[in-house]
Amino acid sequence: MATGRQTGARILRRLRVSRGWSWADLARALQESARQLGMASLAASQRSSIRRAVARWESIDDGTNPGERYQVVLAHVYASTPTGQVGLGPGSDFELLLEAFRYFDVTSPRIQEIVEVIATCAGAEGTDLAMLLQPATRASVATAELGRSNLDEVIPSLHEAVVSIDRQVGAQPFVRLQLQLAPVVDACRLLASQSGRRPADLPTLAAAAFALAARLAFETRDDEAAMGFYAEATQAAGGLKDRSLRAMIRTSHTMVTLHATGDHRLAREIARAATVDAHRGSSYAVRARAHAVHAEINARAGQSRDAAEAISRAWTTVDQLSMDDPHQGFDGERLRGFDGLCALHAGDAGHAHSSLERSLESLRTSRDAVQRGIVTSDLALARLKLGDPRACVAGLHDAIDVASATGGRVATQRVRLVRQALRPWRTEDFVAELDEHLHDALIGR
């Protein structure tokens, strides 16, 4: 009897063959869809590599399933009929593809994300990605491209788009936000490439757009693209006299490097550079965050003394915060999350629990959802280290719900790490219930 995964593989093959496509033909279609969707690294991949991936998905014996990026581009390909019309309804190739995804154990929330993203794109079929921008921003970009606009008027509308997308992190699927941001990134590159005078605010806009693009690429598991965007963001911010923005970018780059690669040495190098930039900038909030990130990297690397010194510097800097700091958003409550994690690595579970619990209480907005999943997982681990596995599992249930709702990659990693620490209790009913919840909510992401 065929397994669910084998059935999914057969459906993928049936879809391809029904269109008269070879593996190379489907690889070409996937690459073109990736280009249209702004997935630069996938669009630039070797076609032979994509062809091999297609072959593995269709193999009855191979256990390889399409990853998140490929799920979206497959859906984009099969959302169009062979005649080029949009077909998402009953009996369509798109519906059959979603059935294959279910056999590949893709979760229902993830499938809903894919449907929503493709429905958005289908509404803009026959146009470029700029159609995903707000109308006023589209008009500004279009006129700038034709050379008929005052470029100083374009920047505010693009900046507003970046801020709007950033505010939706944690409340909207990352892939959808990635698609919304792609035309902004393209517009920034277009404006930077134009000869003549460039708007003074362009470096700030470009740095913010590229940094957000890097974060979204990481969350959708496109690590190569994320690193490329961070390089662009760092370069763009390098043209600013105030180094606070570049420090912010480097703190984000540090954490993504750590969680994408596990390379503590490289992450520490970027963290050090962030603290140097932070001290050349005007924002004490950014400076405090840079020290906090540096502390976490040291703690994870087993450098307890360096971690303690960095946390102490972060607390000293927090005391200097003022309400008119343009980079407000990092304060003592946020710092407690880092403080608690460092205490966990130092073996002080009591202090960790107190700090993490206070930090969690401050994470109330939808924009805080991703961070809430991370801190909730760390708090669950602190409870375990204090000798209360049941309390740990109770907290981990909450963390799973948040990670599932947001799709946060780091939160998902933390949940799985805490579950590993629960192995001595694996025969307990409360752990079995946790495993069921974990499988239903996160397997397939």
Side-chain angles (χ1 to χ4, degrees):
M1 180 179 294
T3 65
R5 197 248 162 230
Q6 290 172 336
T7 301
R10 291 191 174 108
I11 291 174
L12 285 188
R13 184 179 187 280
R14 190 196 320 164
L15 282 168
R16 176 180 59 80
V17 172
S18 70
R19 298 198 176 197
W21 287 349
S22 65
W23 285 336
D25 292 331
L26 179 53
R28 186 179 301 108
L30 292 172
Q31 204 165 29
E32 174 59 21
S33 277
R35 185 193 65 76
Q36 294 176 21
L37 295 172
M39 297 182 177
S41 64
L42 183 54
S45 296
Q46 292 291 327
R47 191 165 296 165
S48 58
S49 174
I50 301 175
R51 179 189 175 281
R52 286 193 295 272
V54 171
R56 288 196 296 270
W57 304 333
E58 294 184 10
S59 171
I60 300 301
D61 301 319
D62 198 308
T64 304
N65 298 341
E68 284 196 351
R69 288 186 302 156
Y70 279 118
Q71 290 167 14
V72 173
V73 291
L74 277 166
H76 190 259
V77 166
Y78 287 116
S80 296
T81 68
T83 59
Q85 303 299 310
V86 176
L88 307 180
S92 65
D93 285 352
F94 181 77
E95 183 186 47
L96 189 57
L97 176 69
L98 297 184
E99 181 181 348
F101 286 167
R102 293 186 182 95
Y103 281 114
F104 283 127
D105 283 335
V106 179
T107 64
S108 294
R110 171 61 183 163
I111 288 176
Q112 184 60 36
E113 288 179 14
I114 294 170
V115 171
E116 292 174 356
V117 166
I118 297 305
T120 299
C121 293
E125 200 68 34
T127 66
D128 60 26
L129 278 177
M131 292 302 295
L132 295 176
L133 287 167
Q134 293 296 323
T137 305
R138 282 207 309 270
S140 296
V141 174
T143 53
E145 188 171 0
L146 294 173
R148 293 186 285 105
S149 172
N150 179 350
L151 293 184
D152 289 323
E153 298 175 359
V154 177
I155 302 302
S157 57
L158 289 174
H159 181 73
E160 183 180 347
V162 173
V163 171
S164 175
I165 294 167
D166 185 59
R167 285 174 178 164
Q168 297 176 66
V169 170
Q172 295 291 338
F174 289 116
V175 173
R176 179 188 294 180
L177 300 182
Q178 194 174 36
L179 292 175
Q180 291 175 356
L181 185 64
V184 182
V185 169
D186 288 344
C188 289
R189 288 170 175 161
L190 170 68
L191 294 172
S193 68
Q194 291 186 339
S195 58
R197 185 183 66 83
R198 296 177 183 174
D201 292 340
L202 180 57
T204 301
L205 165 68
F210 294 144
L212 181 55
R215 162 75 186 283
L216 297 177
F218 165 75
E219 294 288 5
T220 56
R221 292 164 175 77
D222 191 349
D223 295 337
E224 182 180 349
M227 298 310 170
F229 280 127
Y230 275 123
E232 288 186 274
T234 303
Q235 182 178 7
L240 302 172
K241 183 177 180 180
D242 190 316
R243 298 300 193 191
S244 291
L245 180 55
R246 193 166 76 170
M248 286 179 62
I249 292 166
R250 281 179 160 156
T251 59
S252 179
H253 190 187
T254 297
M255 302 311 290
V256 165
T257 298
L258 176 69
H259 291 102
T261 69
D263 190 334
H264 289 84
R265 181 194 60 78
L266 179 57
R268 233 183 324 179
E269 288 180 3
I270 302 170
R272 287 196 195 100
T275 60
V276 171
D277 274 342
H279 279 273
R280 294 176 179 171
S282 60
S283 171
Y284 283 97
V286 171
R287 196 175 301 178
R289 175 173 169 76
H291 286 307
V293 167
H294 196 200
E296 177 172 341
I297 299 301
N298 283 320
R300 289 182 178 278
Q303 306 294 325
S304 299
R305 179 178 297 178
D306 290 341
E309 290 176 356
I311 278 290
S312 177
R313 285 193 291 271
W315 279 114
T316 299
T317 307
V318 160
D319 291 339
Q320 297 172 292
L321 286 177
S322 62
M323 295 303 295
D324 59 352
D325 190 322
H327 297 282
Q328 275 289 352
F330 190 86
D331 54 19
E333 300 305 318
R334 300 305 177 98
L335 179 54
R336 283 191 174 87
F338 289 90
D339 186 60
L341 181 66
C342 290
L344 267 180
H345 283 276
D348 189 348
H351 179 75
H353 186 278
S354 176
S355 293
L356 292 167
E357 196 168 48
R358 285 195 59 179
S359 180
L360 185 60
E361 291 173 356
S362 70
L363 301 172
R364 301 185 182 94
T365 69
S366 60
R367 184 65 177 82
D368 296 328
V370 174
Q371 188 64 24
R372 188 161 58 247
I374 295 170
V375 175
T376 302
S377 298
D378 291 341
L379 180 59
L381 183 58
R383 290 171 176 171
L384 181 63
K385 290 184 178 295
L386 287 171
D388 195 342
R390 288 183 179 274
C392 167
V393 168
L396 210 54
H397 277 293
D398 292 338
I400 290 170
D401 287 337
V402 176
S404 177
T406 63
R409 184 174 172 185
V410 176
T412 300
Q413 289 180 358
R414 297 281 180 90
V415 165
R416 288 171 173 159
L417 286 172
V418 179
R419 172 58 187 89
Q420 291 175 11
L422 282 164
R423 283 175 180 169
W425 295 272
R426 61 185 177 275
T427 59
E428 298 288 344
D429 289 343
F430 60 88
V431 175
E433 292 173 2
L434 177 73
D435 286 342
E436 289 182 9
H437 188 188
L438 180 60
H439 182 275
D440 291 343
L442 293 178
I443 297 299
R445 280 197 175 275

